[in-house]
Amino acid sequence: MARYSKEERRKLLKEALAENPFFTDEELSERFIVSVSTIRLDRGELGIPEVRERTRAVAQEAYSTLKSLDDQELIGELMELVIGERACSKLVVDESMVLTKARVARGHYLFAQANSLAIALVDAKMALTGSVELKFIRPVQLGEVVLAKGVVLKRKLNKYWVEIRLSVGAEDVLCGNWVLFAIEDPAGIRGEME
Amino acid sequence: MARYSKEERRKLLKEALAENPFFTDEELSERFIVSVSTIRLDRGELGIPEVRERTRAVAQEAYSTLKSLDDQELIGELMELVIGERACSKLVVDESMVLTKARVARGHYLFAQANSLAIALVDAKMALTGSVELKFIRPVQLGEVVLAKGVVLKRKLNKYWVEIRLSVGAEDVLCGNWVLFAIEDPAGIRGEME
């Protein structure tokens, strides 16, 4: 027997997707203990598009927010960006990113995903990384999907403290603290990092 | 008047190039206060090839020493490698590495040069980065040549402490400390970084 009435379920479904638009139909079907086709029907009734389309819409909004980087300069796929607050990106580890011998992602790809997300969080035309302390927690295998989450911990004038955490599923794979500098005039960047 | 007799100068020239094969004829001419053509003549007499050829020979030797990385996995051009001791590489910052707006090298390219040099220093079939503390000292402009120098500070079983310093001319641009792990069996890498 289903746990919720149809009306209840649709209300909760709408709320769940408003909070996290990345839930798949499969995940929702487990959550509400109904079949995947019931979830599809619910979405149809509620006028909510499928997850791929929802992700695209969210990503477009996130990309349009980018200020300190160009679209193609962010490593990974941007999923959320509230400049000065928090951001999220996704990177699928492909053949080009792994070490030949070990088949695990090379450190600088994970660094690039984290570093470019940290830069995206800075509210300025440009940002430079000042210092970084980071820890690689476990290697990332070919084909794994790395989710990066960034949070601005503190800001003082043009200086930002950002925490970045990379995970695969429920496991953290990298975490680190970045100090960055907002630069309003790209022509005068020399010496501004002191 | 020249500072040294021809015999003295040739002896010193040979010693200087044995220690640092990357001296150009121009640098040597300043060092010995003679003309560039005198230096060329000296080299001819001593059977020492020109700097480009010497660099190539040294690089080939360095690449043949690589163990924990494949040739093309090292970012930059390897110039020296004594595994477990010290290494040196060179990276010319080209158009593909700079930020569109600021025309300075993106952080992850410098990280990649440093990180891959640190990995090359580990005496094992494979190495993984455990943690890194690094500081970007000044931005690197398009066209600048970045020299990376790495030194193994300490080693304990499969754990390495490596210092990496990147410079452009006489100026440091990045410095950092790496902790790395040597992995002899690439199949068993999960959980070895604890």
Side-chain angles (χ1 to χ4, degrees):
Chain A
M1 212 190 90
R3 184 176 290 179
Y4 303 106
S5 73
K6 187 163 73 177
E7 285 68 33
E8 273 182 309
R9 189 182 65 239
R10 290 188 177 171
K11 187 172 169 283
L12 291 169
L13 182 69
K14 207 175 161 179
E15 285 171 10
L17 286 175
E19 197 171 304
N20 180 353
F22 306 119
F23 280 129
T24 63
D25 289 345
E26 288 68 24
E27 286 166 339
L28 292 165
S29 100
E30 279 174 31
R31 187 176 178 131
F32 294 106
I33 323 174
V34 292
S35 70
V36 170
S37 52
T38 301
I39 293 291
R40 285 197 193 124
L41 209 62
D42 285 350
R43 281 200 297 97
E45 284 295 317
L46 293 164
I48 296 172
E50 57 157 358
V51 65
R52 206 179 319 180
E53 212 169 302
R54 294 198 304 273
T55 307
R56 192 162 35 224
V58 170
Q60 269 166 3
E61 201 189 311
Y63 276 108
S64 72
T65 317
L66 270 183
K67 191 172 167 185
S68 54
L69 279 177
D70 284 348
D71 290 14
Q72 71 277 18
E73 289 181 339
L74 191 109
I75 308 299
E77 197 183 318
L78 192 62
M79 306 188 49
E80 190 195 10
L81 176 59
V82 183
I83 287 183
E85 273 187 38
R86 63 180 190 278
C88 177
S89 77
K90 193 178 86 177
L91 181 74
V92 183
V93 174
D94 68 29
E95 193 72 34
S96 74
M97 303 175 192
V98 299
L99 286 161
T100 320
K101 289 176 193 162
R103 321 298 293 152
V104 299
R106 308 186 58 187
H108 65 260
Y109 282 100
L110 303 180
F111 179 86
Q113 182 186 14
N115 193 54
S116 60
L117 195 67
I119 287 177
L121 277 164
V122 175
D123 189 12
K125 281 201 224 102
M126 226 198 93
L128 289 174
T129 306
S131 60
V132 186
E133 276 184 41
L134 68 102
K135 208 177 156 187
F136 290 85
I137 299 156
R138 76 137 165 100
V140 177
Q141 316 286 326
L142 177 64
E144 286 188 318
V145 180
V146 183
L147 207 70
K149 286 190 177 176
V151 180
V152 175
L153 300 177
K154 195 176 134 186
R155 180 186 169 175
K156 203 174 155 188
L157 299 173
N158 75 327
K159 196 170 178 183
Y160 285 69
W161 286 260
V162 173
E163 184 192 72
I164 305 277
R165 207 164 264 281
L166 268 55
S167 58
V168 171
E171 289 182 287
D172 282 343
V173 296
L174 180 155
C175 63
N177 286 288
W178 266 248
V179 177
L180 301 113
F181 296 89
I183 311 284
E184 279 306 340
D185 173 20
I189 52 174
R190 263 184 172 255
E192 282 212 36
M193 292 162 76
E194 264 63 60
Chain B
M1 213 191 90
R3 184 176 292 178
Y4 304 106
S5 73
K6 187 164 72 177
E7 286 67 33
E8 272 183 310
R9 187 182 66 238
R10 290 188 176 168
K11 186 171 168 285
L12 290 169
L13 182 70
K14 207 175 161 180
E15 285 172 10
L17 286 174
E19 198 171 304
N20 179 353
F22 305 120
F23 279 130
T24 61
D25 289 345
E26 287 70 23
E27 285 166 339
L28 292 166
S29 99
E30 279 175 31
R31 188 175 179 131
F32 294 105
I33 322 172
V34 292
S35 70
V36 170
S37 51
T38 301
I39 293 292
R40 286 197 192 125
L41 208 64
D42 285 350
R43 280 200 296 98
E45 284 296 315
L46 293 163
I48 296 171
E50 56 157 357
V51 65
R52 208 181 316 182
E53 211 170 305
R54 294 198 304 273
T55 307
R56 192 163 35 225
V58 170
Q60 270 166 2
E61 202 189 308
Y63 276 107
S64 72
T65 318
L66 269 184
K67 189 173 169 185
S68 55
L69 278 177
D70 284 347
D71 290 13
Q72 71 277 20
E73 291 180 338
L74 191 109
I75 309 298
E77 196 184 318
L78 192 62
M79 305 192 44
E80 189 195 10
L81 176 60
V82 183
I83 287 183
E85 273 187 39
R86 63 181 190 279
C88 177
S89 77
K90 191 178 87 176
L91 181 73
V92 182
V93 174
D94 68 28
E95 194 71 35
S96 74
M97 304 176 192
V98 299
L99 286 161
T100 319
K101 289 175 194 163
R103 319 299 292 154
V104 299
R106 307 186 57 186
H108 64 261
Y109 282 100
L110 302 181
F111 179 86
Q113 182 186 15
N115 192 55
S116 60
L117 195 68
I119 286 178
L121 278 165
V122 175
D123 189 12
K125 281 199 224 102
M126 226 197 92
L128 290 173
T129 306
S131 60
V132 185
E133 276 183 41
L134 68 100
K135 211 179 153 183
F136 290 86
I137 299 157
R138 76 138 165 102
V140 177
Q141 315 286 325
L142 176 64
E144 286 188 318
V145 180
V146 183
L147 207 70
K149 287 191 178 175
V151 180
V152 176
L153 300 177
K154 195 176 135 185
R155 180 186 170 174
K156 204 175 156 188
L157 300 172
N158 75 328
K159 195 170 178 183
Y160 285 70
W161 286 260
V162 173
E163 184 192 74
I164 305 279
R165 208 165 264 282
L166 267 55
S167 58
V168 172
E171 289 182 287
D172 281 345
V173 295
L174 181 155
C175 63
N177 286 287
W178 266 248
V179 177
L180 301 114
F181 297 88
I183 312 283
E184 278 306 337
D185 173 20
I189 53 174
R190 265 185 170 253
E192 283 212 37
M193 291 161 77
E194 264 66 60

